[in-house]
Amino acid sequence: QVKLVESGGGSAQAGGSLRLSCTASGRAFSDHVMGWFRQAPGNEREFVSAITWSGVLKYSESVKGRFTISRDNAKNTVYLQMNSLEPEDTAVYYCAADSTASEIVRVSARLYNYWGQGTQVTVSS
């Protein structure tokens, strides 16, 4: 059974930092795009960042310069370092893996087949 499990969520003050981790089991995703999405109550799931196996990166404009995505293929793990947090970053953050081995980063949640359960990030002003 394929599972993606996020960890590292919690609360932080504006300007603070959090580091999210996502570890996959049941399948190797070393050649798949892996990324992070977030969803606030009442909103659609929003692309945050993604990374290919070779290190091609993509960020949404709202987090560029503040968040950093990385991955460790040996550990089947992807990370999201979140710095300079803002209250607008408050959401449930989901780890996701593309269903197909690819070097093309896509931003639509519909194109990712594997999802974690989500981890809450709350940023206070």
Side-chain angles (χ1 to χ4, degrees):
Q1 183 178 5
V2 176
K3 291 184 178 181
L4 278 65
V5 180
E6 302 97 334
S7 63
S11 61
Q13 292 183 318
S17 299
L18 289 171
R19 185 174 189 253
L20 306 183
S21 299
C22 170
T23 298
S25 62
R27 179 177 179 177
F29 289 98
S30 59
D31 57 347
H32 291 237
V33 174
M34 297 190 70
W36 293 91
F37 292 75
R38 65 187 183 186
Q39 187 168 18
N43 294 340
E44 295 183 350
R45 194 161 296 187
E46 173 192 20
F47 174 82
V48 177
S49 184
I51 183 171
T52 73
W53 70 271
S54 63
V56 178
L57 310 174
K58 187 175 181 64
Y59 298 94
S60 68
E61 290 298 319
S62 62
V63 308
K64 188 177 299 182
R66 300 188 297 118
F67 292 7
T68 302
I69 191 171
S70 61
R71 68 190 296 169
D72 185 338
N73 288 334
K75 297 180 179 179
N76 221 14
T77 299
V78 63
Y79 307 93
L80 186 68
Q81 178 67 46
M82 304 185 295
N83 297 328
S84 301
L85 284 165
E86 304 170 353
E88 292 75 18
D89 297 318
T90 296
V92 176
Y93 283 70
Y94 296 90
C95 174
D98 198 298
S99 61
T100 303
S102 177
E103 280 294 299
I104 305 299
V105 174
R106 299 180 290 183
V107 302
S108 174
R110 297 186 298 104
L111 303 177
Y112 291 74
N113 276 16
Y114 304 99
W115 295 88
Q117 81 288 352
T119 185
Q120 177 70 46
V121 171
T122 302
V123 184
S124 60
S125 60

